[in-house]
Amino acid sequence: MMGPHWWYNRFRGWGYRLTIPRQAILEILSKSDKHLSAEEIYLEVHKEYPSIGLATIYRTLELLVQMGIVNKFDFGDGRARYELAEDSKGPKHHHHLICNVCGRVIDYRDFSEEEKNFFESLERNLSQRYNFEIKNHQVMFYGICDKCKGK
Amino acid sequence: MMGPHWWYNRFRGWGYRLTIPRQAILEILSKSDKHLSAEEIYLEVHKEYPSIGLATIYRTLELLVQMGIVNKFDFGDGRARYELAEDSKGPKHHHHLICNVCGRVIDYRDFSEEEKNFFESLERNLSQRYNFEIKNHQVMFYGICDKCKGK
DNA sequence: ATCGCAAATGAGAATCATTCTCAATTGAGA
DNA sequence: TCTCAATTGAGAATGATTCTCATTTGCGAT
Ligand SMILES: [Mn+2]
Ligand SMILES: [Mn+2]
Ligand SMILES: [Zn+2]
Ligand SMILES: [Zn+2]
Protein backbone atom coordinates (compact mmCIF):
# COMPACT_ATOMS: atom_id res chain seq x y z
CA MET A 1 0.00 0.00 0.00
CA MET A 2 2.83 2.40 0.62
CA GLY A 3 6.56 2.69 0.10
CA PRO A 4 8.56 -0.39 -0.80
CA HIS A 5 5.68 -2.80 -0.28
CA TRP A 6 3.66 -1.17 -2.88
CA TRP A 7 6.48 -1.16 -5.42
CA TYR A 8 7.35 -4.74 -4.60
CA ASN A 9 3.87 -6.01 -5.37
CA ARG A 10 3.68 -3.96 -8.48
CA PHE A 11 6.89 -5.45 -9.78
CA ARG A 12 5.89 -8.96 -8.92
CA GLY A 13 2.59 -8.45 -10.65
CA TRP A 14 4.44 -7.67 -13.84
CA GLY A 15 6.86 -10.55 -13.33
CA TYR A 16 9.79 -8.23 -12.71
CA ARG A 17 12.33 -8.31 -9.92
CA LEU A 18 12.61 -5.53 -7.39
CA THR A 19 16.35 -4.98 -7.40
CA ILE A 20 18.56 -2.54 -5.55
CA PRO A 21 19.01 -0.23 -8.54
CA ARG A 22 15.26 -0.14 -9.11
CA GLN A 23 14.58 0.67 -5.50
CA ALA A 24 17.23 3.36 -5.48
CA ILE A 25 15.70 5.02 -8.52
CA LEU A 26 12.20 4.91 -7.08
CA GLU A 27 13.57 6.33 -3.86
CA ILE A 28 15.03 9.33 -5.64
CA LEU A 29 11.92 9.90 -7.70
CA SER A 30 9.66 9.80 -4.69
CA LYS A 31 11.81 12.25 -2.77
CA SER A 32 11.84 14.80 -5.56
CA ASP A 33 9.08 17.07 -6.73
CA LYS A 34 11.00 18.15 -9.81
CA HIS A 35 11.03 16.91 -13.39
CA LEU A 36 14.25 14.92 -13.32
CA SER A 37 16.26 13.89 -16.34
CA ALA A 38 17.90 10.47 -16.58
CA GLU A 39 21.27 11.98 -15.85
CA GLU A 40 20.02 13.93 -12.85
CA ILE A 41 18.58 10.73 -11.46
CA TYR A 42 21.84 8.99 -12.19
CA LEU A 43 23.83 11.59 -10.27
CA GLU A 44 21.52 11.35 -7.27
CA VAL A 45 21.54 7.57 -7.26
CA HIS A 46 25.28 7.63 -7.68
CA LYS A 47 25.77 9.36 -4.32
CA GLU A 48 24.34 6.36 -2.52
CA TYR A 49 25.21 3.59 -4.97
CA PRO A 50 28.26 4.57 -7.03
CA SER A 51 28.25 1.26 -8.83
CA ILE A 52 24.91 1.76 -10.57
CA GLY A 53 25.39 2.71 -14.20
CA LEU A 54 23.59 5.18 -16.41
CA ALA A 55 22.33 2.45 -18.74
CA THR A 56 20.45 0.92 -15.84
CA ILE A 57 18.81 4.26 -15.14
CA TYR A 58 17.53 4.40 -18.68
CA ARG A 59 16.41 0.79 -18.67
CA THR A 60 14.63 1.16 -15.38
CA LEU A 61 12.89 4.37 -16.35
CA GLU A 62 11.62 2.75 -19.51
CA LEU A 63 10.27 -0.09 -17.41
CA LEU A 64 8.63 2.23 -14.91
CA VAL A 65 6.95 4.15 -17.69
CA GLN A 66 5.61 0.92 -19.15
CA MET A 67 4.28 -0.04 -15.76
CA GLY A 68 2.58 3.31 -15.41
CA ILE A 69 4.53 4.16 -12.27
CA VAL A 70 6.41 6.99 -13.90
CA ASN A 71 5.42 9.59 -16.49
CA LYS A 72 7.82 10.69 -19.19
CA PHE A 73 7.74 14.19 -20.62
CA ASP A 74 9.39 16.20 -23.33
CA PHE A 75 9.51 19.85 -22.38
CA GLY A 76 11.67 20.76 -25.34
CA ASP A 77 15.07 21.00 -23.66
CA GLY A 78 16.53 18.06 -25.55
CA ARG A 79 16.24 15.44 -22.87
CA ALA A 80 13.38 13.39 -21.47
CA ARG A 81 12.09 14.26 -18.01
CA TYR A 82 10.52 11.89 -15.52
CA GLU A 83 8.09 12.13 -12.66
CA LEU A 84 6.45 9.63 -10.37
CA ALA A 85 2.86 9.20 -11.53
CA GLU A 86 1.52 8.48 -8.08
CA ASP A 87 2.68 8.19 -4.51
CA SER A 88 1.42 6.42 -1.42
CA LYS A 89 -1.41 8.93 -1.23
CA GLY A 90 -2.62 8.34 -4.76
CA PRO A 91 -2.16 9.87 -8.19
CA LYS A 92 -0.29 13.13 -8.50
CA HIS A 93 -1.85 14.02 -11.79
CA HIS A 94 -1.33 17.54 -13.01
CA HIS A 95 -0.91 19.66 -16.13
CA HIS A 96 1.89 21.95 -17.27
CA LEU A 97 2.52 25.52 -18.29
CA ILE A 98 5.75 25.83 -20.31
CA CYS A 99 7.48 29.13 -20.97
CA ASN A 100 8.70 29.48 -24.55
CA VAL A 101 11.22 32.09 -23.47
CA CYS A 102 13.03 30.71 -20.43
CA GLY A 103 11.86 27.10 -20.58
CA ARG A 104 10.41 27.17 -17.09
CA VAL A 105 7.84 24.47 -16.40
CA ILE A 106 5.01 25.20 -14.00
CA ASP A 107 2.98 22.34 -12.60
CA TYR A 108 -0.58 22.99 -11.76
CA ARG A 109 -2.72 20.53 -9.94
CA ASP A 110 -5.24 22.88 -8.44
CA PHE A 111 -7.86 21.60 -10.82
CA SER A 112 -11.38 22.81 -10.52
CA GLU A 113 -14.09 20.21 -10.11
CA GLU A 114 -15.25 21.26 -13.50
CA GLU A 115 -11.88 20.56 -15.06
CA LYS A 116 -11.65 17.17 -13.41
CA ASN A 117 -15.12 16.18 -14.56
CA PHE A 118 -14.50 17.52 -18.01
CA PHE A 119 -11.46 15.36 -18.62
CA GLU A 120 -13.14 12.30 -17.21
CA SER A 121 -16.13 12.62 -19.46
CA LEU A 122 -13.96 13.56 -22.42
CA GLU A 123 -11.91 10.41 -21.96
CA ARG A 124 -15.04 8.27 -21.80
CA ASN A 125 -16.35 9.94 -24.91
CA LEU A 126 -13.13 9.51 -26.88
CA SER A 127 -12.71 5.90 -25.77
CA GLN A 128 -16.03 5.12 -27.31
CA ARG A 129 -15.75 7.28 -30.35
CA TYR A 130 -12.38 5.85 -31.37
CA ASN A 131 -12.55 2.48 -29.67
CA PHE A 132 -9.34 3.52 -27.97
CA GLU A 133 -8.52 2.50 -24.41
CA ILE A 134 -7.16 5.61 -22.71
CA LYS A 135 -4.59 5.05 -19.95
CA ASN A 136 -3.52 8.62 -19.27
CA HIS A 137 -3.11 12.02 -20.80
CA GLN A 138 -0.79 15.00 -20.95
CA VAL A 139 -1.81 18.61 -21.24
CA MET A 140 0.72 21.37 -21.89
CA PHE A 141 0.10 25.07 -22.30
CA TYR A 142 2.83 27.03 -24.04
CA GLY A 143 3.42 30.75 -23.73
CA ILE A 144 5.23 33.40 -21.74
CA CYS A 145 5.65 33.19 -17.98
CA ASP A 146 5.25 36.08 -15.58
CA LYS A 147 8.99 36.56 -15.17
CA CYS A 148 9.55 36.73 -18.91
CA LYS A 149 6.64 39.04 -19.59
CA GLY A 150 8.28 42.04 -17.98
CA LYS A 151 10.45 42.13 -21.12
CA MET B 1 -4.86 35.63 -47.03
CA MET B 2 -3.87 32.37 -48.63
CA GLY B 3 -0.86 30.57 -50.03
CA PRO B 4 2.38 32.38 -50.72
CA HIS B 5 0.96 35.84 -50.05
CA TRP B 6 0.10 35.01 -46.58
CA TRP B 7 3.47 33.43 -45.82
CA TYR B 8 5.26 36.31 -47.45
CA ASN B 9 3.61 38.89 -45.24
CA ARG B 10 4.13 36.79 -42.21
CA PHE B 11 7.86 36.53 -42.90
CA ARG B 12 8.20 40.22 -43.62
CA GLY B 13 6.39 41.01 -40.43
CA TRP B 14 9.04 39.14 -38.52
CA GLY B 15 11.84 40.71 -40.55
CA TYR B 16 12.72 37.42 -42.22
CA ARG B 17 13.20 36.66 -45.90
CA LEU B 18 10.91 34.33 -47.77
CA THR B 19 13.51 32.25 -49.58
CA ILE B 20 13.18 29.32 -51.95
CA PRO B 21 14.04 26.71 -49.28
CA ARG B 22 11.49 28.21 -46.93
CA GLN B 23 8.80 28.20 -49.55
CA ALA B 24 9.63 24.65 -50.55
CA ILE B 25 9.29 23.49 -46.96
CA LEU B 26 5.99 25.28 -46.46
CA GLU B 27 4.78 23.79 -49.72
CA ILE B 28 5.46 20.27 -48.52
CA LEU B 29 3.93 20.89 -45.13
CA SER B 30 0.77 22.34 -46.59
CA LYS B 31 0.35 19.44 -48.99
CA SER B 32 0.68 16.82 -46.28
CA ASP B 33 -1.81 15.91 -43.60
CA LYS B 34 0.71 13.74 -41.77
CA HIS B 35 3.06 14.40 -38.88
CA LEU B 36 6.29 14.76 -40.82
CA SER B 37 9.78 14.44 -39.37
CA ALA B 38 12.61 16.74 -40.42
CA GLU B 39 14.10 14.00 -42.53
CA GLU B 40 10.82 13.16 -44.22
CA ILE B 41 10.43 16.81 -45.13
CA TYR B 42 14.01 16.85 -46.35
CA LEU B 43 13.39 13.88 -48.63
CA GLU B 44 10.27 15.46 -50.10
CA VAL B 45 11.91 18.82 -50.60
CA HIS B 46 14.90 17.07 -52.09
CA LYS B 47 12.84 15.71 -54.98
CA GLU B 48 12.15 19.22 -56.22
CA TYR B 49 15.24 21.02 -54.92
CA PRO B 50 18.12 18.56 -54.55
CA SER B 51 20.46 21.30 -53.44
CA ILE B 52 18.62 22.12 -50.22
CA GLY B 53 20.39 20.63 -47.23
CA LEU B 54 19.08 18.97 -44.10
CA ALA B 55 20.49 21.70 -41.85
CA THR B 56 18.29 24.21 -43.60
CA ILE B 57 15.27 22.04 -42.96
CA TYR B 58 16.02 22.06 -39.24
CA ARG B 59 16.75 25.77 -39.17
CA THR B 60 13.60 26.61 -41.07
CA LEU B 61 11.40 24.40 -38.95
CA GLU B 62 12.74 26.04 -35.82
CA LEU B 63 11.91 29.41 -37.33
CA LEU B 64 8.42 28.34 -38.33
CA VAL B 65 7.74 27.04 -34.85
CA GLN B 66 8.88 30.36 -33.40
CA MET B 67 6.58 32.20 -35.74
CA GLY B 68 3.69 29.99 -34.74
CA ILE B 69 3.20 28.74 -38.29
CA VAL B 70 4.20 25.19 -37.44
CA ASN B 71 3.64 23.02 -34.39
CA LYS B 72 6.30 20.66 -33.14
CA PHE B 73 5.43 17.40 -31.41
CA ASP B 74 7.15 14.55 -29.66
CA PHE B 75 5.16 11.37 -30.06
CA GLY B 76 7.87 9.25 -28.51
CA ASP B 77 9.48 7.76 -31.60
CA GLY B 78 12.78 9.51 -31.10
CA ARG B 79 12.36 12.32 -33.58
CA ALA B 80 10.41 15.54 -33.61
CA ARG B 81 7.34 15.74 -35.80
CA TYR B 82 5.94 18.85 -37.46
CA GLU B 83 2.57 20.02 -38.67
CA LEU B 84 1.28 23.23 -40.16
CA ALA B 85 -0.60 25.07 -37.41
CA GLU B 86 -3.04 26.69 -39.77
CA ASP B 87 -3.87 26.80 -43.44
CA SER B 88 -5.62 29.27 -45.73
CA LYS B 89 -8.91 28.34 -44.10
CA GLY B 90 -7.74 29.04 -40.58
CA PRO B 91 -6.32 27.11 -37.65
CA LYS B 92 -6.21 23.33 -37.88
CA HIS B 93 -6.09 22.83 -34.15
CA HIS B 94 -6.64 19.33 -32.91
CA HIS B 95 -5.66 16.88 -30.20
CA HIS B 96 -4.00 13.48 -30.32
CA LEU B 97 -4.57 9.89 -29.33
CA ILE B 98 -1.31 7.95 -29.18
CA CYS B 99 -1.13 4.16 -29.08
CA ASN B 100 1.42 2.87 -26.59
CA VAL B 101 1.62 -0.42 -28.46
CA CYS B 102 2.05 0.40 -32.15
CA GLY B 103 2.85 4.10 -31.89
CA ARG B 104 -0.02 5.14 -34.13
CA VAL B 105 -1.12 8.74 -33.74
CA ILE B 106 -4.76 9.62 -34.28
CA ASP B 107 -5.72 13.24 -34.82
CA TYR B 108 -9.07 14.32 -33.64
CA ARG B 109 -10.52 17.67 -34.44
CA ASP B 110 -14.19 16.88 -34.16
CA PHE B 111 -14.37 18.88 -30.96
CA SER B 112 -17.69 19.41 -29.30
CA GLU B 113 -18.77 22.95 -28.61
CA GLU B 114 -18.39 22.09 -24.99
CA GLU B 115 -14.80 21.03 -25.45
CA LYS B 116 -13.96 24.15 -27.40
CA ASN B 117 -15.52 26.42 -24.80
CA PHE B 118 -13.91 24.53 -22.00
CA PHE B 119 -10.38 25.02 -23.27
CA GLU B 120 -11.01 28.67 -24.01
CA SER B 121 -12.24 29.40 -20.54
CA LEU B 122 -9.54 27.24 -18.98
CA GLU B 123 -6.87 29.22 -20.82
CA ARG B 124 -8.33 32.50 -19.65
CA ASN B 125 -8.48 31.19 -16.12
CA LEU B 126 -4.90 29.91 -16.12
CA SER B 127 -3.56 33.08 -17.73
CA GLN B 128 -4.95 35.04 -14.84
CA ARG B 129 -4.12 32.61 -12.11
CA TYR B 130 -0.47 32.27 -13.11
CA ASN B 131 0.00 35.58 -14.92
CA PHE B 132 1.07 33.45 -17.87
CA GLU B 133 0.32 34.45 -21.44
CA ILE B 134 -0.85 31.30 -23.20
CA LYS B 135 -0.08 31.02 -26.91
CA ASN B 136 -1.20 27.48 -27.60
CA HIS B 137 -1.61 24.08 -26.08
CA GLN B 138 -1.12 20.39 -26.75
CA VAL B 139 -3.30 17.57 -25.50
CA MET B 140 -2.29 13.93 -25.88
CA PHE B 141 -4.16 10.85 -24.74
CA TYR B 142 -2.11 7.69 -24.39
CA GLY B 143 -3.46 4.17 -24.47
CA ILE B 144 -4.26 1.27 -26.75
CA CYS B 145 -5.76 1.75 -30.19
CA ASP B 146 -8.54 -0.34 -31.69
CA LYS B 147 -6.18 -2.35 -33.89
CA CYS B 148 -3.95 -3.24 -30.95
CA LYS B 149 -6.80 -4.10 -28.60
CA GLY B 150 -7.74 -7.26 -30.48
CA LYS B 151 -4.57 -8.69 -28.96
C1' DA C 1 20.54 -22.72 3.21
C1' DT C 2 22.00 -23.94 -1.32
C1' DC C 3 21.51 -24.46 -6.48
C1' DG C 4 20.48 -23.20 -11.17
C1' DC C 5 19.35 -20.08 -14.42
C1' DA C 6 16.85 -16.45 -16.54
C1' DA C 7 16.65 -11.72 -15.47
C1' DA C 8 19.21 -7.73 -14.61
C1' DT C 9 23.35 -5.03 -14.61
C1' DG C 10 27.84 -2.21 -15.70
C1' DA C 11 30.97 -0.48 -18.84
C1' DG C 12 31.83 1.13 -22.90
C1' DA C 13 30.91 1.32 -27.76
C1' DA C 14 27.54 2.51 -31.18
C1' DT C 15 23.49 5.15 -32.85
C1' DC C 16 21.49 8.82 -34.71
C1' DA C 17 18.67 13.07 -34.40
C1' DT C 18 19.93 17.63 -33.98
C1' DT C 19 23.16 21.57 -33.72
C1' DC C 20 27.23 23.99 -34.95
C1' DT C 21 30.90 26.06 -37.97
C1' DC C 22 32.27 28.59 -41.65
C1' DA C 23 32.92 29.76 -46.31
C1' DA C 24 29.88 30.78 -50.23
C1' DT C 25 25.41 32.46 -51.87
C1' DT C 26 21.39 35.32 -52.02
C1' DG C 27 17.52 38.71 -51.25
C1' DA C 28 16.01 43.26 -50.97
C1' DG C 29 16.70 48.07 -49.93
C1' DA C 30 19.48 52.01 -51.62
C1' DT D 1 23.26 47.47 -60.28
C1' DC D 2 25.69 47.65 -55.68
C1' DT D 3 26.12 46.35 -50.88
C1' DC D 4 25.86 43.72 -46.98
C1' DA D 5 23.48 41.24 -43.55
C1' DA D 6 20.69 37.23 -43.79
C1' DT D 7 20.64 32.68 -45.32
C1' DT D 8 22.43 28.43 -46.87
C1' DG D 9 25.13 23.80 -47.83
C1' DA D 10 28.31 20.55 -46.38
C1' DG D 11 30.31 18.28 -43.12
C1' DA D 12 31.96 17.96 -38.48
C1' DA D 13 30.58 17.94 -33.72
C1' DT D 14 27.43 17.11 -30.01
C1' DG D 15 24.94 14.64 -26.80
C1' DA D 16 21.06 11.89 -25.30
C1' DT D 17 19.71 7.30 -25.68
C1' DT D 18 20.38 2.48 -27.05
C1' DC D 19 22.98 -1.62 -27.75
C1' DT D 20 26.38 -5.43 -26.77
C1' DC D 21 28.17 -8.72 -24.03
C1' DA D 22 30.48 -10.58 -20.19
C1' DT D 23 29.34 -10.75 -15.25
C1' DT D 24 26.27 -10.59 -11.39
C1' DT D 25 22.02 -11.26 -8.91
C1' DG D 26 17.19 -12.36 -7.39
C1' DC D 27 14.21 -15.91 -6.52
C1' DG D 28 11.74 -20.29 -7.24
C1' DA D 29 12.82 -25.04 -6.65
C1' DT D 30 15.38 -28.36 -4.25
MN1 LIG E 1 5.08 18.02 -13.72
MN1 LIG F 1 -1.71 16.01 -35.48
ZN1 LIG G 1 9.81 32.38 -18.75
ZN1 LIG H 1 -1.95 0.57 -31.74
Side-chain angles (χ1 to χ4, degrees):
Chain A
M1 186 157 291
M2 61 179 328
H5 282 198
W6 178 58
W7 301 336
Y8 184 72
N9 292 327
R10 200 75 100 92
F11 271 82
R12 297 209 54 201
W14 282 74
Y16 298 135
R17 298 180 188 169
L18 182 52
T19 61
I20 304 288
R22 289 171 181 177
Q23 291 185 65
I25 290 166
L26 280 166
E27 207 61 56
I28 295 304
L29 283 168
S30 59
K31 273 196 214 123
S32 171
D33 62 341
K34 301 208 188 78
H35 309 101
L36 300 172
S37 67
E39 188 171 17
E40 286 167 350
I41 294 168
Y42 168 72
L43 291 173
E44 279 305 308
V45 165
H46 191 264
K47 291 177 184 168
E48 191 89 22
Y49 302 92
S51 69
I52 295 178
L54 181 55
T56 297
I57 308 291
Y58 276 104
R59 282 186 292 234
T60 301
L61 287 170
E62 187 186 359
L63 206 67
L64 293 171
V65 169
Q66 293 252 36
M67 296 167 70
I69 293 177
V70 162
N71 287 136
K72 180 178 184 177
F73 298 96
D74 171 26
F75 294 134
D77 66 341
R79 70 204 63 196
R81 304 244 159 215
Y82 303 86
E83 247 184 7
L84 217 48
E86 47 195 314
D87 60 14
S88 53
K89 298 177 203 68
K92 306 166 57 174
H93 187 70
H94 58 274
H95 295 168
H96 294 107
L97 303 177
I98 303 166
C99 179
N100 290 328
V101 179
C102 68
R104 188 155 67 108
V105 178
I106 300 167
D107 286 13
Y108 84 88
R109 69 188 72 212
D110 48 341
F111 298 111
S112 61
E113 269 312 305
E114 188 197 358
E115 187 169 352
K116 217 170 300 182
N117 294 333
F118 172 79
F119 275 101
E120 278 171 22
S121 96
L122 177 56
E123 288 199 359
R124 277 195 299 275
N125 182 301
L126 288 170
S127 288
Q128 244 187 358
R129 195 143 37 115
Y130 293 95
N131 188 27
F132 188 105
E133 186 183 338
I134 295 176
K135 300 279 202 200
N136 58 49
H137 67 248
Q138 282 184 23
V139 179
M140 340 246 261
F141 294 91
Y142 295 88
I144 305 177
C145 81
D146 55 348
K147 288 177 186 163
C148 292
K149 269 207 276 194
K151 203 41 175 18
Chain B
M1 187 156 288
M2 62 178 323
H5 282 195
W6 180 59
W7 300 337
Y8 183 72
N9 292 326
R10 196 75 100 108
F11 271 82
R12 298 210 52 201
W14 282 74
Y16 298 136
R17 298 180 187 167
L18 181 52
T19 61
I20 302 289
R22 289 170 182 178
Q23 291 185 62
I25 291 166
L26 280 166
E27 206 61 57
I28 295 304
L29 283 169
S30 59
K31 273 196 214 121
S32 170
D33 62 340
K34 302 206 187 78
H35 310 100
L36 299 172
S37 68
E39 189 173 16
E40 286 167 351
I41 294 167
Y42 168 71
L43 291 174
E44 280 304 310
V45 165
H46 192 266
K47 291 179 187 169
E48 191 88 22
Y49 301 93
S51 70
I52 296 177
L54 182 55
T56 297
I57 307 291
Y58 276 105
R59 280 186 294 233
T60 300
L61 288 170
E62 186 186 1
L63 206 67
L64 292 170
V65 169
Q66 285 228 96
M67 297 167 70
I69 293 178
V70 162
N71 287 137
K72 180 179 183 176
F73 298 96
D74 171 25
F75 294 133
D77 66 341
R79 68 204 64 198
R81 302 244 160 216
Y82 302 86
E83 245 184 7
L84 217 48
E86 46 195 317
D87 61 15
S88 52
K89 300 177 202 66
K92 307 165 56 173
H93 187 69
H94 59 272
H95 295 167
H96 294 107
L97 304 177
I98 302 165
C99 179
N100 290 328
V101 179
C102 68
R104 187 155 68 109
V105 178
I106 299 167
D107 286 13
Y108 85 89
R109 68 188 72 215
D110 47 342
F111 298 112
S112 62
E113 267 313 304
E114 188 197 358
E115 187 168 352
K116 218 170 299 183
N117 294 334
F118 173 79
F119 274 101
E120 278 171 23
S121 97
L122 177 56
E123 288 199 0
R124 277 196 299 275
N125 182 302
L126 288 170
S127 287
Q128 245 188 357
R129 196 142 38 114
Y130 292 96
N131 188 27
F132 189 105
E133 184 184 337
I134 294 176
K135 300 279 202 199
N136 58 49
H137 67 249
Q138 281 183 23
V139 178
M140 338 246 259
F141 294 91
Y142 295 88
I144 304 177
C145 80
D146 54 349
K147 288 178 187 163
C148 292
K149 268 207 278 194
K151 201 44 173 24

